[in-house]
Amino acid sequence: MPKARKFRIRPDAGFNRPGVKVPEGGLPETGMTVIAPAANDANPAEGAEPTGRQLRMARRIAQKHGIKVASDHEAVAALRARGIDPFERSNMLELVPGETSGDAAVPAIARPAPLPAEPSAQVLDDRARAGEIMEIQRDIMRRRRRKLALLLTRLGFFVALPTFIAGFYYYVLATPMYATKSEFIIQQADTASAGASGLGGLFSGTGLATQQDSISVQGYLLSRDAFQRLDRDLGFRAHFAQPEIDALQRLEPDASSEDAYKLYERMVEIGYDPTEGVLKMEVIAADPDVSAAFSRALIGYAEEQVDNLTSRLRDDQMAGAEQSFASAEGRMLEAQTRVVDLQEQLGVVSAEAEVSNSYSQIGVIETELRAERLRLDQLNANARPNATRVQVATANIARLQQELDTLRSSLTDGAADDVSLARVTAELAVAQQDLVTRQLLLQQAAQQLEVSRIAANRQVRYLSTPVPPVQPDEPTYPRAFESTILAFLIFSGIYLMMTLTAAILREQVTG
């Protein structure tokens, strides 16, 4: 039941004014007792002194009419100057919120909703009350339908219409595109895993060992250099500039290199899986054969890039080892040539053999010399020695002694045009020792060259293609249904954010 507010009710006053019928016990349906204003609130006669309440009411009436006054009496004078009676009951009732002019004998009933100026003694029956409630419900329904219509209009304009346009493009206008998918892995040579040790051996068989190379190859395939090579080799720009391709995917004939490169980034997608070390590539084109050709060309570029990644390191390692080996080999050949020259110059193949031969000859001559001396001593031991035999023995001893002296002098002193055997032996020994040293250095250089070759082989990377590019037989794009749903979600999200932003701004402004 609606409840009315009591406005300036005097407990000691009663309804004694004519024309007002108030049932005993209060107003019907509300149960509220309405009390008439006090007698002293009546309009005072001319010349009577107004009460304090009437003065305050007069000042409020003046404020309502926009009259600025400094006191209550000044407000009464100002209102009377304008022809307004401040003590008239209708003027006082106008100060009650929601009330209009009416019978001045009945005070206003303050309530949340405006009530008629004159309370009526008519009692609302159930049927009338139900009608009022139905009218209120119908008004609420009308407002709800109006708000719902506005909401549907906004949704249709901001969400449904853009979604329909996107779906129409994907289903009708979009040119079918063919995607060729392939996968390739960058691996090390087998010698790397065989010779790896320590921390490097832990990652030799995983994708972490070639992670940096895989990322480098991925960056190269998405670079401008790869795009320019593909355009020169297979005509990337000419393919996407065909008039059969729709306007959103077609590349204009006079398009700049930047626009062509942006299209290349959209049509070539390369992803890297660090856990497995696999590079996954998808190449999109308007023709399946062209798509597969583009994919094979990019894999060839990747193989060249993999070779170039470690070629400099391999070349540096092999260059130093090969240079050391060539230097050691040249010095060994020089030492060997010196030994041969000494042998040819001295006529001695082996100094040790010559010395051994000389010593053997000296030994034989010394033996013969000793035998001749013994024979001479035997001849001289006779009383009458044979002079001829003595002379022959003496001559043999002298000849043997001369030969012995010659052999011994040849070991240390050479003739005028000859070199002593000792010098020959020393020079040959030095030359041969130098030759042996050069041979050892050559052997070490050969070993170092082999080690460098193995290390260079460890740095070798090669590209393996577990999933080769195969041309598709059906178009991969556009995915009309998925793309339309995605467009619907995007436009719905944009509309929701705009609505929330507008609501927040409205609340901030009105608050």
Side-chain angles (χ1 to χ4, degrees), residues 73-141:
H73 291 281
E74 185 178 353
V76 173
L79 289 173
R80 285 179 176 176
R82 289 195 177 188
I84 301 174
D85 186 2
F87 305 120
E88 187 177 356
R89 180 60 59 186
S90 60
N91 293 332
M92 292 182 180
L93 290 178
E94 289 180 357
L95 298 177
V96 179
E99 292 294 336
T100 59
S101 62
D103 190 356
V106 181
I109 299 176
R111 50 175 293 181
L115 291 177
E118 295 182 359
S120 175
Q122 182 180 1
V123 180
L124 296 176
D125 56 1
D126 295 339
R127 186 174 182 179
R129 188 183 302 110
E132 293 291 337
I133 294 174
M134 290 295 296
E135 182 65 26
I136 294 173
Q137 291 178 348
R138 282 193 292 268
D139 183 64
I140 294 174
M141 291 297 296

Side-chain angles (χ1 to χ4, degrees), residues 483-511:
S483 301
T484 305
I485 295 298
L486 179 60
F488 172 75
L489 295 177
I490 292 175
F491 291 126
S492 299
I494 294 175
Y495 173 76
L496 179 61
M497 289 189 294
M498 292 173 59
T499 305
L500 292 178
T501 304
I504 293 172
L505 293 177
R506 189 185 304 111
E507 181 180 358
Q508 294 294 329
V509 171
T510 58

